[in-house]
Amino acid sequence: MIISNRERVLILLGAVLVFLLLYYLLIIRPAFLKQSMLKKRILKAQQELDQMIKLSAEWEKFQKDKSRIKKIIARRQKGFTLLSFLEKISREVGIHDKIQYMKPLSLTEQSGSSFKPVGMEIQLNGLSIDQLVKFLYKVECSDELVSVSRIKIQRHATGNEASLWVTMQVETYVSAQ
């Protein structure tokens, strides 16, 4: 059997095509799939790294805030209580006679924390706006880490006189020990 040149070229061309097809299927295509998979892994790892950096920054901020709070609580006078603090502020503002009641709040305590929240509910009747603003300013801007978490203000008019009836919740933290 004699093979002509034309048949040799076709056989050679077929062999090259089969070789190229096998080369593509066994080498090129798996390499591209592997590269695509590696790019996805790199992207996922970058996202995880970004998340870790963000969480690390939040953790550092939390630690700074915690140490700042510890310093504030340690700097307080011995025997600091929220009740005595509120009474002192009300005397400074001149509204201690307008206090209807002060009662402690039961706040949920987080286990494992070195601080426990304490709160008081206070009702004041017959306040002027100026007195309320002074009281709130002295509470919120004190160096004792005290804040008003909730406030309810009602206008109460008797004749020509108008005054405010205020109920508020004041909270702070104390050392858990």
Side-chain angles (χ1 to χ4, degrees):
M1 177 159 145
I2 299 176
I3 299 176
S4 68
N5 282 341
R6 183 173 176 237
E7 290 172 344
R8 280 188 197 162
V9 169
L10 285 175
I11 290 173
L12 186 61
L13 191 59
V16 167
L17 280 172
V18 169
F19 174 76
L20 289 175
L21 181 65
L22 288 174
Y23 183 74
Y24 172 77
L25 290 174
L26 297 175
I27 297 183
I28 302 288
R29 186 168 181 262
F32 280 133
L33 291 175
K34 183 79 168 178
Q35 183 181 20
S36 172
M37 184 182 70
L38 288 174
K39 283 182 181 179
K40 287 179 185 177
R41 279 188 182 171
I42 289 171
L43 181 62
K44 184 178 177 185
Q46 184 65 42
Q47 290 171 345
E48 289 173 356
L49 178 64
D50 292 342
Q51 181 72 13
M52 281 193 261
I53 290 170
K54 180 181 171 188
L55 290 174
S56 174
E58 286 180 22
W59 179 254
E60 287 177 20
K61 183 185 178 306
F62 171 76
Q63 291 297 337
K64 286 179 185 176
D65 289 345
K66 184 178 175 183
S67 67
R68 183 181 59 83
I69 290 169
K70 278 184 177 180
K71 287 177 187 175
I72 290 171
I73 290 175
R75 192 176 59 222
R76 285 180 179 166
Q77 293 178 355
K78 277 232 187 250
F80 171 86
T81 63
L82 186 57
L83 177 65
S84 63
F85 172 77
L86 291 173
E87 285 178 347
K88 178 183 143 207
I89 297 294
S90 67
R91 288 191 202 297
E92 288 176 8
V93 176
I95 59 171
H96 62 281
D97 58 332
K98 298 184 181 190
I99 296 174
Q100 296 302 306
Y101 67 82
M102 278 198 240
K103 65 180 180 181
L105 296 173
S106 59
L107 302 173
T108 57
E109 195 173 322
Q110 292 183 348
S111 61
S113 175
S114 56
F115 307 110
K116 73 176 186 177
V118 292
M120 296 290 289
E121 183 174 285
I122 180 171
Q123 183 176 17
L124 303 158
N125 291 347
L127 291 178
S128 68
I129 292 176
D130 187 47
Q131 290 172 324
L132 176 61
V133 169
K134 286 179 183 175
F135 182 79
L136 290 173
Y137 178 80
K138 287 194 173 273
V139 168
E140 288 286 338
C141 295
S142 72
D143 292 333
E144 301 294 341
L145 193 70
V146 177
S147 65
V148 176
S149 61
R150 181 178 286 165
I151 187 167
K152 179 181 174 185
I153 303 171
Q154 294 177 324
R155 185 172 184 266
H156 189 265
T158 53
N160 291 339
E161 295 285 322
S163 63
L164 301 175
W165 288 20
V166 179
T167 306
M168 68 179 82
Q169 293 180 356
V170 182
E171 297 178 1
T172 190
Y173 290 91
V174 294
S175 181
Q177 289 102 3

